[in-house]
Amino acid sequence: MTYVFYLLCLCVSKKAPLISDLPMKKKNFTFSTTTVQYYFDSEFSYIEKLVPKETAVIITDDNVFAKHKKKFKGWNTIVLKPGEEYKIQQTVDVVIDQLLALGADRKTTLIGVGGGVITDITGYVAGIYMRGIRFGFVPTSLLAMVDASIGGKNGIDVGVYKNMVGLIRQPAFLLFDTSFLKTLPKSEWQNGFAEIIKHACIKDAAMFRLLQQHKLSDFQKDKKLAASLIERNVLIKTKVVVGDEFEQGARKLLNYGHTLGHAIENMYELSHGQAISIGMTYAAIMSQHLKHFKGAEEVVNLLEKYGLPTFAEFDTQKAFKILMMDKKKDNVSINYILLEKIGKGVIQPLLFVQLQEIFKQF
Ligand code: GLY
């Protein structure tokens, strides 16, 4: 009898390890008004430990929901249409209606489970619903894991203007479950690598070399290699944001490739990674002329190695007009992020007239 019981326990423990037994790394990071708990190498099921099901509402999209239906069993879940085109006010209205219908109140925690669009909408709604409720993220795309879920900037697009409406407010927790990457299409891996290459360009020359030595499929095949790259990037971004949460200085470096990138992203319906890759390419060329940067060719080669577009034809005048609406500008100038060397980004104020001349040469 005891033996049977013992065998039964073995079977049970093999099949379903206790949540508390899962290998997991927890790190806390203190921002201006809150401490955010990061759970690395974790599993989705662990969110039960962080938020009781009855006080949580998960926000996800059709793609994530369809691929991981079982995970959402028993959770209040709002499922949105996927895609950047839905990162708009109408979607926010729909979510708020559904929260009201679910009886969500100030004790509710919103959990965004998805890519950058979902984390942005969730963080934004959590910031305004009942003047602000608790929220956390389980990023499911590489881009969301290394960038979009981190930093507290959450918002929506207005027409071609990316992230024009939003707020900076940190989540209570971030839970990283790399098993979501198993079902991620290659184009989404490439999307994430654009932000990873950005981090390497502005902050981490050693990571730039590591990326040169590997190729995308190495990270797709090797879970440990991918997990350590993700953690390295999460830490790079977090460190920058902790040091300058409200973007008065060093946080601007994270905009490398984004000034032009954001201008062309919605204009040509590019993925975020494609758009900023083109933005990084032209910023590297500008750095060559303005900062005597010697690594432009290496940057372009690395972007191409990871399947990202570099030089592209685009309407420079229209892009310039959209860029004039950028949030990082004043009336006459804009802070452009350039590279002094691989691993060292710098903030370069540029007069609009100067920039317009440069754009004419693209
Ligand atoms: N949510 C993205 C950021 O704060 O940069």
Side-chain angles (χ1 to χ4, degrees), residues 120 147-154 237 251:
D120 260 17
D147 180 47
S149 66
I150 306 156
K153 284 187 189 171
N154 300 124
K237 177 153 184 188
R251 186 171 181 169

Side-chain angles (χ1 to χ4, degrees), residues 50-59 75-78 95 98-111 122 125-127 129-136 169 172-173:
L50 307 177
V51 194
K53 273 186 176 164
E54 54 282 8
T55 63
V57 176
I58 287 179
I59 300 179
W75 291 90
N76 292 313
T77 307
I78 297 174
V95 173
Q98 293 201 36
L99 288 176
L100 290 168
L102 287 166
D105 60 21
R106 303 198 71 184
K107 292 201 180 77
T108 300
T109 299
L110 296 190
I111 308 170
T122 305
V125 172
Y129 187 75
M130 297 196 173
R131 296 202 192 96
I133 60 175
R134 187 172 179 261
F135 70 109
R169 187 166 176 263
F173 63 85

Side-chain angles (χ1 to χ4, degrees), residues 66-332:
K67 282 179 190 150
H68 306 278
K69 231 175 214 153
K70 271 195 199 148
K71 289 189 166 69
F72 296 97
K73 212 166 159 221
W75 291 90
N76 292 313
T77 307
I78 297 174
V79 185
L80 303 176
K81 290 204 183 93
E84 182 78 25
E85 65 268 38
Y86 295 105
K87 206 176 94 172
I88 50 173
Q89 186 59 42
Q90 283 95 312
T91 310
V92 170
D93 296 342
V94 167
V95 173
I96 290 174
D97 282 345
Q98 293 201 36
L99 288 176
L100 290 168
L102 287 166
D105 60 21
R106 303 198 71 184
K107 292 201 180 77
T108 300
T109 299
L110 296 190
I111 308 170
V113 182
V117 172
I118 288 298
T119 55
D120 260 17
I121 291 174
T122 305
Y124 180 49
V125 172
I128 56 174
Y129 187 75
M130 297 196 173
R131 296 202 192 96
I133 60 175
R134 187 172 179 261
F135 70 109
F137 294 144
V138 182
T140 60
S141 69
L142 182 61
L143 187 133
M145 288 182 195
V146 298
D147 180 47
S149 66
I150 306 156
K153 284 187 189 171
N154 300 124
I156 52 169
D157 302 340
V158 180
V160 289
Y161 302 116
K162 288 262 311 162
N163 305 327
M164 191 44 84
V165 172
L167 34 81
I168 300 183
R169 187 166 176 263
Q170 301 301 332
F173 63 85
L174 284 167
L175 186 142
F176 298 91
D177 176 352
T178 50
S179 74
F180 279 105
L181 298 178
K182 276 190 219 150
T183 56
L184 204 66
K186 190 171 174 203
S187 58
E188 276 300 324
W189 279 86
Q190 290 165 335
N191 219 8
F193 267 98
E195 293 289 358
I196 292 171
I197 293 171
K198 178 196 81 178
H199 287 154
C201 285
I202 59 163
K203 281 281 168 197
D204 192 341
M207 187 167 75
F208 194 95
R209 304 294 164 221
L210 177 99
L211 294 170
Q212 282 179 317
Q213 283 152 18
H214 285 281
K215 52 185 182 310
L216 194 144
S217 57
D218 296 343
F219 296 95
Q220 284 177 299
K221 282 184 215 148
D222 187 337
K223 206 174 162 242
K224 268 199 181 145
L225 189 67
S228 92
L229 186 73
I230 290 166
E231 188 171 337
R232 185 169 182 159
N233 279 274
V234 169
L235 299 182
I236 290 173
K237 177 153 184 188
T238 301
K239 206 170 149 201
V240 171
V241 179
V242 165
D244 177 27
E245 191 174 352
F246 297 101
E247 205 166 307
Q248 298 306 301
R251 186 171 181 169
K252 293 184 208 288
L253 293 176
L254 296 171
N255 297 324
Y256 176 57
H258 283 60
T259 309
L260 174 60
H262 275 171
I264 58 174
E265 183 170 340
N266 287 5
M267 210 167 121
Y268 293 103
E269 290 178 20
L270 299 172
S271 72
H272 183 65
Q274 289 171 329
I276 66 155
S277 178
I278 295 168
M280 286 191 274
T281 300
Y282 287 98
I285 301 297
M286 285 165 67
S287 307
Q288 198 169 287
H289 296 293
L290 299 169
K291 292 279 160 200
H292 307 293
F293 172 56
K294 297 203 172 55
E297 199 179 328
E298 279 186 288
V299 172
V300 171
N301 288 344
L302 190 64
L303 291 166
E304 285 176 353
K305 182 173 187 179
Y306 283 83
L308 290 156
T310 53
F311 298 100
E313 265 187 33
F314 60 93
D315 183 337
T316 48
Q317 276 192 5
K318 198 169 167 196
F320 186 76
K321 234 170 125 187
I322 295 174
L323 188 147
M324 298 270 288
M325 288 296 290
D326 196 285
K327 300 179 290 305
K328 297 165 282 281
K329 65 153 179 73
D330 57 33
N331 279 341
V332 289

